[in-house]
Amino acid sequence: MYGYVSERRSPVRGQGQHVLVVADGPEITELLSTTLELAGYHVKIAADGAELTARLAEHHFDLVVLDAMMTDLGGVPRRHRLAPGGRPPVLLLTECDSLGSLIPDLGLGEVDYVTKPFRIAEVLARAQVLLRGRGAGRGDGSPHYGDLVLDDATCQARRGQRALDLTPAEYRLLRHLLVNAEQVFSKNQISRHVWGEVRAENAIEKLVSRLRRKVNQEEPALIHTRRGFGYWLGRATL
């Protein structure tokens, strides 16, 4: 398995933005670059951390699509950190556990991620959100909804002053629901996002139930069920 899931969907269209792709292996690199080019983006490629640093220093990019699981990204020199005004948003292809060690060294801008094996449709959708600046966020770049705040550098969340003790799967699900607030996701969609595969409905129900108990201790309740359709995060009812 190469870390992606093929889908037959109409691609999200870009508007000529400049995207830098840094992926693990020629097949994934070609898949991402070709798909993004067909979707209307101008794409350049970097093979490792050194080339990534060099390209960011030489060119302006609107977005970086970065495979965080690459083994040759370590040791990006801090002297090459970008000024705040020049930091492009980054879409990570990753597992949540690697975020904390990677983001501080790269010094990039707003961060979102998709889990591997990734779906091309989701990569295009999340790229569009980052480029349009529509993701849920704060002035410091932390995703939030009301008093629910996530910290991607540590994979931790809090509701007001209360820290939420989340497992990696719970964090991935909560972040996905938060950045897509008020959108309903089916059990199948949740399963593919959290684990990269379809799992039994019982496993998904237990995951959502645990997360709901942790998040909904304060008012208003934020995680809801739309019977027959799935789950969503937000206020009031749909």
Side-chain angles (χ1 to χ4, degrees):
M1 181 175 289
Y2 289 99
Y4 62 87
V5 177
S6 178
E7 290 189 348
R8 293 182 179 180
R9 294 188 183 181
S10 298
V12 177
R13 297 298 302 175
Q15 298 179 345
Q17 297 99 326
H18 293 268
V19 178
L20 177 62
V21 172
V22 193
D24 188 12
E27 184 168 345
I28 296 180
T29 299
E30 182 178 0
L31 172 70
L32 289 168
S33 59
T34 300
T35 301
L36 287 164
E37 286 174 349
L38 290 174
Y41 299 102
H42 296 295
V43 179
K44 289 188 179 296
I45 296 170
D48 52 32
E51 191 172 354
L52 163 64
T53 301
R55 287 199 177 276
L56 288 175
E58 295 170 357
H59 303 283
H60 168 75
F61 291 96
D62 300 295
L63 175 70
V64 176
V65 178
L66 174 64
D67 189 343
M69 308 309 292
M70 293 177 66
T71 58
D72 52 357
L73 283 174
V76 177
R78 288 183 179 273
R79 66 177 179 273
H80 289 300
R81 287 168 63 90
L82 302 175
R87 296 176 181 176
V90 56
L91 179 62
L92 294 173
L93 314 176
T94 186
E95 296 176 356
C96 185
D97 294 344
S98 69
L99 292 175
S101 62
L102 180 66
I103 293 173
D105 285 334
L106 291 176
L108 294 170
E110 183 181 357
V111 174
D112 200 351
Y113 75 96
V114 295
T115 56
K116 298 175 71 174
F118 60 82
R119 296 177 296 156
I120 285 298
E122 186 174 9
V123 170
L124 292 173
R126 301 316 304 162
Q128 187 180 56
V129 169
L130 283 170
L131 287 166
R132 289 184 176 181
R134 291 181 177 177
R138 296 153 51 92
D140 61 5
S142 301
H144 82 290
Y145 187 99
D147 63 349
L148 177 62
V149 182
L150 307 187
D151 183 348
D152 282 339
T154 61
C155 291
Q156 295 179 343
R158 70 177 189 272
R159 182 88 193 265
Q161 298 302 312
R162 180 175 62 89
L164 308 183
D165 183 17
L166 303 181
T167 66
E170 290 167 355
Y171 186 88
R172 287 194 293 271
L173 173 57
L174 179 58
R175 194 185 197 286
H176 189 56
L177 294 174
L178 187 150
V179 299
N180 297 283
E182 301 179 3
Q183 179 177 341
V184 177
F185 289 94
S186 68
K187 293 177 182 178
N188 185 57
Q189 289 173 318
I190 287 174
S191 180
R192 289 190 178 277
H193 178 79
V194 173
W195 294 294
E197 62 184 11
V198 176
R199 294 199 178 182
E201 289 191 0
N202 185 50
I204 303 162
E205 291 168 356
K206 288 182 177 179
L207 174 65
V208 174
S209 178
R210 291 197 307 268
L211 182 61
R212 194 199 309 262
R213 286 197 301 270
K214 294 178 181 181
V215 171
N216 286 359
Q217 292 184 25
E218 290 83 6
E219 293 292 338
L222 293 180
I223 296 180
H224 311 277
T225 301
R226 188 174 185 188
R227 296 192 180 279
F229 293 92
Y231 305 97
W232 60 283
L233 182 147
R235 296 186 180 91
T237 58
L238 292 180

